[in-house]
Amino acid sequence: MRATAIAQPNIALIKYWGKRDVEQNLPAVGSISVTLAELQTTMLVDLESSVAKDTLVVNGEENPQLLPRISACLDNVLGSERAAVLVDSSSNFPIAAGLASSASAFAAVTVAATAAAELELPRQQLARMAGRASGSAARSLFGGFVELQNDASNIDVRSLCDARDWPLQVVVAITETAPKPTGSTEAMEISRKTSPFYDSWIDKQGVDLATAREAISARDFGALAMVSEHNCLKMHSVMWASRPPMVYWNSATMRCMQMVRALQADGCGVFFTIDAGPQVKAVCLPEDTAAVTSALESTEGVKQLMVTGLGDGARRVEQR
């Protein structure tokens, strides 16, 4: 009746922005991501605790803000007639700051709750459960390069390439540790309703997905770099043209992008991507990791660097 799970955040290379069904939390477009190795969220779900109501502890402190979404996720897994649950969570990276902490959190709590209740469910079903709480969480159930397909009434997730088959590195430049001012779900709805670029974003996503899928299959870093950066900038163009504008970047974000451009001009195998936040993720070839790390470390405004390879999907671990 107690179980612990670990999940890593994932970084979208071909991103989704917008929902076609807000109530079911179904994304408007498909997406392709990489699951990280060194960044992780650990979740303990205790079904036998003495708490009178659901309780969520995050990094040692109760977190009432995230609790309603965690409770709804637990209802989805365990049923609404369940007893109160204690959830104890810890992450080794900033949360709610554009580093996909919700993806790892809901993937981990879904796996832990299922294990605590001794339920045997296929991974695809777990991904759909996690995805109802956080769209990107479905991808964190799988490792390496992951595609979330969005062509039917539900979502399907599959691995495109194992982490060990194309071991790229990701250098994460953290330029702000505080929570972002507007959550992704709210921002997506603002963009859907007000951005003049939103419909074009939806219409062109299939081309980017096909291009990235082919690049991953061929291990073509240059092709993946080109389509990933283009897709990232298109998404942020949709956000910037919303009313009010959804602008998460800061001056250090821009400086990191310029640094990546300088590295590319010097022949480094690296490209940037940025989710709904100010953090820059520099995806690079293993042999260029040291140069990318050194360059971003010296960039003004970078508060912290995290270097990681690609990792596995969410999984149960020994109880802590």
Side-chain angles (χ1 to χ4, degrees), residues 136-219:
S136 56
R139 299 189 305 245
S140 280
L141 266 293
F142 294 80
F145 294 80
V146 180
E147 180 172 7
L148 187 154
Q149 298 174 309
N150 191 38
D151 299 325
S153 60
N154 213 320
I155 59 173
D156 291 305
V157 190
R158 62 172 179 145
S159 177
L160 296 176
C161 176
D162 189 85
R164 284 157 285 276
D165 291 336
W166 199 14
L168 300 182
Q169 295 284 300
V170 182
V171 181
V172 182
I174 298 173
T175 66
E176 180 56 69
T177 56
K180 55 192 180 186
T182 306
S184 295
T185 298
E186 179 183 354
M188 285 181 193
E189 277 298 281
I190 292 171
S191 290
R192 183 182 67 82
K193 293 174 180 178
T194 67
S195 177
F197 303 151
Y198 183 80
D199 288 343
S200 178
W201 160 256
I202 300 297
D203 292 341
K204 298 296 187 347
Q205 186 76 345
V207 175
D208 287 357
L209 286 166
T211 302
R213 202 181 296 123
E214 183 176 341
I216 293 166
S217 177
R219 311 293 191 268

Side-chain angles (χ1 to χ4, degrees), residues 248-268:
Y248 293 103
W249 298 359
N250 55 37
S251 58
T253 307
M254 294 293 292
R255 282 191 285 270
C256 287
M257 294 167 64
Q258 292 169 342
M259 181 60 73
V260 171
R261 287 282 188 253
L263 288 164
Q264 290 171 339
D266 286 340
C268 272

Side-chain angles (χ1 to χ4, degrees), residues 216-248:
I216 293 166
S217 177
R219 311 293 191 268
D220 186 337
F221 186 83
L224 184 62
M226 186 174 296
V227 71
S228 296
E229 286 191 356
H230 183 58
N231 189 265
C232 166
L233 294 174
K234 283 197 298 184
M235 184 188 78
H236 284 277
S237 295
V238 172
M239 295 159 65
W240 284 30
S242 302
R243 296 185 179 180
M246 296 293 108
V247 180
Y248 293 103

